Amino acid sequence: METIRLFLMKNEIASETLIFFSLLMGAVFSYYLCKRIMLPMIRRAIFRTAIKWDDLLIEHRLFDRLILLVPAIVLYYGCILVPLFAPVLSRVVHIYVCLLIVRVVNAVIDV
């Protein structure tokens, strides 16, 4: 264990790569957590209401698309942990969020 710690202290790229992959795993975990726990709760709450337009949002998978924002938020706020990859990662996340917003707006317009 000591040799791994010394290696990571001497090699900045290896340590930041390890942190970056840990951040990616955290983003994937947050997505599955929201998809398996939050989305069913949202669906149950919406189907209990008497309003019909919110059922249309479920049918057009709006909330499925909104949940894709969660990993982007995790990656965006985790950029500060990897200063070596931060400029590229933040730009990629911004592009991803813009594309996702277009998909969400398209889903709302389809309703």
Side-chain angles (χ1 to χ4, degrees):
M1 192 67 170
E2 184 67 26
T3 57
I4 295 173
R5 187 179 67 81
L6 290 174
F7 173 74
L8 291 176
M9 286 178 66
K10 290 180 183 176
N11 195 343
E12 180 183 357
I13 294 174
S15 64
E16 292 215 9
T17 304
L18 182 65
I19 294 170
F20 174 71
F21 283 116
S22 300
L23 186 62
L24 280 178
M25 288 175 41
V28 169
F29 177 73
S30 68
Y31 168 74
Y32 282 113
L33 188 69
C34 286
K35 186 164 179 83
R36 300 290 180 214
I37 295 174
M38 293 296 294
L39 194 59
M41 288 172 50
I42 292 171
R43 285 184 180 152
R44 280 193 301 266
I46 286 177
F47 283 132
R48 288 182 185 156
T49 63
I51 303 170
K52 295 297 178 198
W53 64 269
D54 56 358
D55 295 338
L56 291 173
L57 295 177
I58 291 290
E59 288 175 14
H60 287 277
R61 300 174 52 102
L62 176 78
F63 295 104
D64 292 62
R65 293 178 183 158
L66 280 175
I67 283 187
L68 291 172
L69 278 173
V70 173
I73 293 169
V74 169
L75 289 175
Y76 182 75
Y77 285 107
C79 281
I80 60 170
L81 298 175
V82 283
L84 188 64
F85 302 128
V88 174
L89 184 60
S90 66
R91 285 190 179 153
V92 168
V93 169
H94 281 124
I95 292 169
Y96 175 73
V97 168
C98 289
L99 291 173
L100 197 59
I101 288 172
V102 168
R103 287 187 67 199
V104 167
V105 169
N106 189 24
V108 170
I109 291 173
D110 283 346
V111 172

